[in-house]
Amino acid sequence: MDNIFEELLAEVKDAIRDFHNSKELYDARMRFLGRTGRLTALYKRIREIPPEERPAFGQKINALKEELEARFAELEARMHEKELAEKLSGESVDVTMPGRRVTVGTLHPVTRVKNMLIDVFAGMGFEIFEGPEIENDYYNFTALNTPADHPARDMQDTFYVSENFLLRTQTSAGQIRLMEKKRPPIKMLCPGRVFRSDDDATHSPMFHQMEGLVVDRHITLCDLQGMLDEFARNVFGKESKTRLRPSYFPFTEPSVEVDVSCHVCGGTGCSLCKGTGWIEVLGAGMVNRRVLENCGIDPDEYTGFAFGMGVERIAMLKYGINNIKLLTENDVRFLEQFKD
Ligand code: PHE
């Protein structure tokens, strides 16, 4: 019976040589010290030996049990330390590692110019009004003094959706929509997308316009030019001036084409302004009395001016962009150049 202890001890020594993790260690502990373990089995064998030897046998088992418990406790402490060290080293942060680069997006140049124009005109007291992109013939043409057989309809190649509906060719449609609802004084800015069947380096079938409309008592062409001077100074620089040239639009009378002094050469002549010192930027005029009448506003009491500009055109002039397609290709190398 004596060598049972020796054997068990040898077995324990053998079993506890190396454990990879605390689970293995726990299983081993259970194998010897657990309720169905080897040592518990020894206690049961106490019945097999003569009564007088039992106390000594019991002491031996107890001593062995204490020894095993002490060994396992030590192993567990070491395992715990080892596992903790592993866990901590796995979680450590290498503060010398380069950070992940965060690339910040930029606003599209058309959005930038649009926002800028809104800021400038909102600063002068204009309210923003947005009309629908699909319009009917009445708002886009007829109410703007351009009846069906009017030759001015040829000025804009129109995309028709049906006989009566079309993609608006101009934000001027917003003038009618607003004046039907609101009485003077009116000071509105109507930004939005417009569509024309037109496609070359400076024209695209979809582009953005910004319409301005001011209607009140005693509004004159001087008010229009004064306000456009302020616009030009804000967009093209402090020294900018404007010049009005006679033009024609059915919904304004008189109508003008507005030039801004060339912001590249300052007016002396360069390749951008083709040697003239001036660049055409928008169309404008005094609101035609027939348009006011169409909206139920008395033209003998009220007068007004309107203007319409292409946002892409302003962006191209301001940033020196020579092809309108660059604005719709969405090449990041192009777009990321427009940073604050
Ligand atoms: N709607 C005109 C165009 O698209 C521009 C314009 C607006 C002219 C307002 C005069 C007054 O060409």
Side-chain angles (χ1 to χ4, degrees):
M1 200 66 165
D2 260 8
N3 48 7
I4 285 181
F5 293 103
E6 314 295 296
E7 271 168 32
L8 198 60
L9 214 52
E11 227 179 282
V12 171
K13 273 190 192 141
D14 194 50
I16 65 183
R17 222 169 284 142
D18 48 17
F19 296 107
H20 297 102
N21 53 45
S22 43
K23 165 94 172 67
E24 278 178 26
L25 184 56
Y26 175 82
D27 290 344
R29 180 193 234 283
M30 288 300 113
R31 235 182 301 133
F32 294 102
L33 293 166
R35 249 198 301 147
T36 55
R38 305 288 304 276
L39 208 75
T40 324
L42 267 189
Y43 275 114
K44 288 184 182 145
R45 295 182 63 178
I46 211 159
R47 271 178 270 120
E48 297 168 21
I49 54 175
E52 62 278 12
E53 285 174 27
R54 285 184 192 168
F57 183 82
Q59 273 167 14
K60 266 192 163 174
I61 306 181
N62 285 342
L64 181 62
K65 186 177 175 211
E66 262 169 45
E67 189 179 336
L68 287 187
E69 268 168 356
R71 278 195 196 200
F72 274 107
E74 196 198 321
L75 283 172
E76 274 161 7
R78 258 192 274 148
M79 181 62 79
H80 179 71
E81 249 171 62
K82 182 177 149 239
E83 287 184 341
L84 189 66
E86 275 171 12
K87 187 162 178 255
L88 290 180
S89 80
E91 284 172 1
S92 75
V93 174
D94 178 0
V95 289
T96 66
M97 208 163 98
R100 230 176 262 159
R101 185 184 286 273
V102 178
T103 46
V104 178
T106 59
L107 288 179
H108 191 281
V110 169
T111 307
R112 295 170 68 94
V113 169
K114 181 177 151 191
N115 290 350
M116 178 182 188
L117 293 171
I118 289 175
D119 277 356
V120 170
F121 286 106
M124 293 191 255
F126 281 72
E127 279 176 71
I128 309 293
F129 174 83
E130 283 179 83
E133 289 176 1
I134 295 181
E135 263 302 359
N136 64 32
D137 192 274
Y138 178 76
Y139 288 100
N140 196 83
F141 289 125
T142 309
L144 286 161
N145 196 31
T146 323
D149 54 357
H150 198 290
R153 287 211 178 191
D154 291 346
M155 287 164 81
Q156 300 165 358
D157 264 327
T158 310
F159 289 117
Y160 282 88
V161 175
S162 67
E163 208 179 305
N164 214 1
F165 287 92
L166 46 86
L167 300 182
R168 68 175 171 199
T169 60
Q170 50 189 359
T171 43
S172 302
Q175 292 186 27
I176 308 299
R177 289 201 173 264
L178 187 82
M179 283 193 284
E180 276 184 351
K181 282 202 279 264
K182 192 169 151 59
R183 300 293 92 188
I186 288 172
K187 222 173 173 186
M188 77 127 203
L189 191 67
C190 176
R193 267 192 284 249
V194 297
F195 308 83
R196 293 180 196 178
S197 179
D198 211 351
D199 202 4
D200 62 32
T202 53
H203 297 87
S204 92
M206 185 284 291
F207 62 103
H208 297 76
Q209 276 190 338
M210 192 78 77
E211 188 89 6
L213 174 72
V214 173
V215 183
D216 202 353
R217 291 191 176 91
H218 317 300
I219 297 291
T220 69
L221 206 61
C222 282
D223 297 313
L224 169 67
Q225 188 163 22
M227 208 209 56
L228 290 174
D229 278 338
E230 178 66 9
F231 144 79
R233 282 193 292 268
N234 273 286
V235 177
F236 294 107
K238 281 204 296 294
E239 308 302 320
S240 298
K241 290 192 276 290
T242 62
R243 149 179 115 164
L244 308 184
R245 279 183 294 110
S247 184
Y248 176 77
F249 298 103
F251 35 89
T252 46
E253 183 57 38
S255 300
V256 294
E257 215 60 75
V258 181
D259 294 344
V260 173
S261 54
C262 180
H263 58 290
V264 171
C265 64
T268 52
C270 68
S271 62
L272 181 69
C273 58
K274 300 195 182 78
T276 65
W278 295 95
I279 297 172
E280 185 187 316
V281 290
L282 59 101
M286 298 306 291
V287 180
N288 192 310
R289 41 188 303 132
R290 312 235 346 223
V291 174
L292 294 174
E293 274 166 9
N294 288 342
C295 301
I297 293 175
D298 181 357
D300 292 324
E301 192 180 352
Y302 294 103
T303 53
F305 65 74
F307 61 86
M309 63 182 95
V311 182
E312 279 80 355
R313 175 155 174 78
I314 306 280
M316 288 170 76
L317 289 171
K318 191 171 165 53
Y319 298 124
I321 300 164
N322 59 11
N323 193 323
I324 199 167
K325 299 289 174 300
L326 288 165
L327 296 171
T328 41
E329 276 166 356
N330 283 338
D331 185 332
V332 175
R333 291 168 302 178
F334 168 76
L335 295 175
E336 70 187 359
Q337 294 176 43
F338 302 92
K339 292 197 174 121
D340 285 317

